[in-house]
Amino acid sequence: MLEPLAIECPYCGEGFETLFDSSEGGFGDRAVVTIEDCYVCCRPITLRHHLDASGERLSTDALRDSDG
Ligand SMILES: [Zn+2]
């Protein structure tokens, strides 16, 4: 299921909306990482989605590639 997700580019600071496919998340209390290219500066943003035990998304961090 696709969920609209507002994120902010960690490189250029531009805010935009993307879609999070919650079926990617699977189950368990863990983080799912996806890569989204910023539509403004085209740099790859690492999105770390924190999920609860039922696979529900709790929050998302937008990180630079090198932030680990
Ligand atoms: Zn950007």
Side-chain angles (χ1 to χ4, degrees), residues 3-48:
E3 179 188 346
L5 183 64
I7 61 173
E8 190 174 292
C9 176
Y11 302 99
C12 68
E14 192 70 32
F16 63 97
E17 198 168 87
T18 185
L19 291 172
F20 172 62
D21 183 356
S22 55
S23 65
E24 279 184 45
F27 299 95
D29 183 12
R30 63 195 184 93
V32 175
V33 173
T34 59
I35 308 291
E36 197 75 48
D37 288 344
C38 176
Y39 87 106
V40 178
C41 67
C42 297
R43 282 183 274 196
I45 306 165
T46 301
L47 297 175
R48 191 185 293 152

